[in-house]
Coordinates of all heavy atoms in Angstrom, one line a residue:
Chain A
V628 N -30.5 46.0 16.0 CA -31.9 46.0 15.6 C -32.3 47.5 15.5 O -32.1 48.2 16.5 CB -32.8 45.2 16.6 CG1 -34.3 45.3 16.2 CG2 -32.3 43.8 16.7
P629 N -32.7 47.9 14.4 CA -33.1 49.3 14.3 C -34.1 49.7 15.4 O -35.0 48.9 15.8 CB -33.8 49.5 12.9 CG -33.1 48.4 12.1 CD -32.9 47.2 13.1
A630 N -34.1 50.9 15.8 CA -34.9 51.3 16.9 C -36.4 51.1 16.6 O -36.9 51.5 15.5 CB -34.7 52.8 17.2
G631 N -37.1 50.5 17.5 CA -38.5 50.3 17.3 C -38.8 49.0 16.5 O -40.0 48.6 16.4
W632 N -37.8 48.4 16.1 CA -38.0 47.1 15.3 C -37.9 45.9 16.2 O -37.3 46.0 17.3 CB -37.0 47.0 14.1 CG -37.3 48.0 13.0 CD1 -37.9 49.2 13.0 CD2 -37.1 47.7 11.6 NE1 -38.0 49.8 11.8 CE2 -37.5 48.9 10.9 CE3 -36.5 46.7 10.9 CZ2 -37.4 49.0 9.5 CZ3 -36.4 46.8 9.5 CH2 -36.8 47.9 8.8
T633 N -38.4 44.8 15.7 CA -38.3 43.6 16.5 C -37.6 42.5 15.6 O -37.5 42.6 14.3 CB -39.6 43.0 16.9 OG1 -40.4 42.8 15.7 CG2 -40.3 43.9 17.8
A634 N -37.1 41.5 16.2 CA -36.4 40.4 15.5 C -36.8 39.1 16.0 O -36.8 38.9 17.3 CB -34.9 40.6 15.6
I635 N -37.2 38.2 15.1 CA -37.5 36.8 15.6 C -36.9 35.8 14.6 O -36.6 36.2 13.4 CB -39.0 36.5 15.7 CG1 -39.6 36.6 14.3 CG2 -39.7 37.5 16.6 CD1 -41.0 36.0 14.2
V636 N -36.7 34.6 15.0 CA -36.2 33.6 14.1 C -37.4 33.0 13.4 O -38.4 32.5 14.0 CB -35.5 32.4 14.9 CG1 -35.2 31.3 14.0 CG2 -34.2 33.0 15.5
T637 N -37.4 33.1 12.1 CA -38.5 32.6 11.3 C -38.2 31.2 10.7 O -39.2 30.5 10.3 CB -38.8 33.5 10.1 OG1 -37.7 33.8 9.4 CG2 -39.3 34.9 10.7
A638 N -37.0 30.8 10.6 CA -36.6 29.5 10.2 C -35.4 29.1 10.9 O -34.3 29.6 10.6 CB -36.4 29.5 8.7
G639 N -35.5 28.1 11.8 CA -34.4 27.8 12.6 C -33.9 26.4 12.5 O -33.0 25.9 13.2
T640 N -34.5 25.6 11.6 CA -34.0 24.3 11.4 C -33.3 24.2 10.0 O -33.6 25.0 9.1 CB -35.2 23.3 11.4 OG1 -36.1 23.6 10.4 CG2 -35.8 23.3 12.8
G641 N -32.5 23.2 9.8 CA -31.8 23.0 8.5 C -30.5 23.7 8.6 O -29.9 24.0 9.7
P642 N -29.8 23.8 7.4 CA -28.4 24.2 7.4 C -28.3 25.7 7.6 O -27.1 26.2 7.6 CB -28.0 23.8 6.0 CG -29.3 23.9 5.2 CD -30.4 23.4 6.1
S643 N -29.4 26.5 7.7 CA -29.2 27.9 8.0 C -30.4 28.4 8.9 O -31.4 27.7 9.1 CB -29.3 28.7 6.6 OG -30.5 28.5 6.0
T644 N -30.1 29.6 9.5 CA -31.1 30.2 10.3 C -31.5 31.5 9.8 O -30.7 32.3 9.4 CB -30.5 30.4 11.7 OG1 -30.1 29.1 12.2 CG2 -31.6 30.9 12.7
T645 N -32.8 31.8 9.7 CA -33.3 33.0 9.1 C -33.9 33.9 10.2 O -34.8 33.4 11.0 CB -34.4 32.8 8.0 OG1 -33.8 32.0 7.0 CG2 -34.9 34.1 7.4
V646 N -33.5 35.1 10.3 CA -34.0 36.0 11.3 C -34.7 37.2 10.5 O -34.1 37.7 9.6 CB -32.9 36.6 12.2 CG1 -33.4 37.7 13.1 CG2 -32.2 35.5 12.9
C647 N -35.9 37.5 10.9 CA -36.6 38.6 10.3 C -36.6 39.8 11.2 O -37.0 39.7 12.4 CB -38.1 38.2 10.0 SG -39.1 39.5 9.3
V648 N -36.0 40.9 10.7 CA -35.9 42.1 11.5 C -36.9 43.1 10.9 O -36.8 43.5 9.7 CB -34.5 42.7 11.5 CG1 -34.4 43.9 12.5 CG2 -33.5 41.6 11.9
S649 N -38.0 43.4 11.6 CA -39.1 44.1 11.0 C -39.7 45.2 11.9 O -39.6 45.1 13.1 CB -40.2 43.0 10.7 OG -41.4 43.7 10.3
P650 N -40.2 46.2 11.2 CA -40.8 47.3 12.0 C -42.2 46.9 12.6 O -42.7 47.5 13.5 CB -41.0 48.4 11.0 CG -41.1 47.7 9.7 CD -40.2 46.5 9.8
T651 N -42.7 45.8 12.1 CA -44.0 45.3 12.6 C -43.6 43.9 13.3 O -42.6 43.3 13.1 CB -45.0 45.1 11.5 OG1 -44.5 44.2 10.5 CG2 -45.3 46.4 10.9
Q652 N -44.6 43.5 14.1 CA -44.4 42.2 14.7 C -44.4 41.1 13.6 O -45.5 40.9 13.0 CB -45.5 41.9 15.7 CG -45.3 40.7 16.6 CD -44.0 40.8 17.5 OE1 -43.7 41.9 18.0 NE2 -43.4 39.7 17.7
P653 N -43.3 40.5 13.4 CA -43.3 39.4 12.3 C -44.3 38.3 12.7 O -44.4 37.9 13.9 CB -41.9 39.0 12.3 CG -41.1 40.0 12.9 CD -42.0 40.6 14.0
S654 N -44.9 37.8 11.7 CA -45.8 36.7 11.9 C -45.1 35.4 12.2 O -45.6 34.4 12.8 CB -46.7 36.5 10.7 OG -46.0 36.1 9.6
G655 N -43.9 35.4 11.8 CA -43.1 34.1 12.0 C -43.2 33.2 10.8 O -42.6 32.1 10.8

Side-chain angles (χ1 to χ4, degrees):
Chain A
V628 177
W632 286 33
T633 57
I635 67 165
V636 173
T637 55
T640 59
S643 62
T644 303
T645 302
V646 177
C647 178
V648 186
S649 172
T651 60
Q652 187 68 33
S654 64

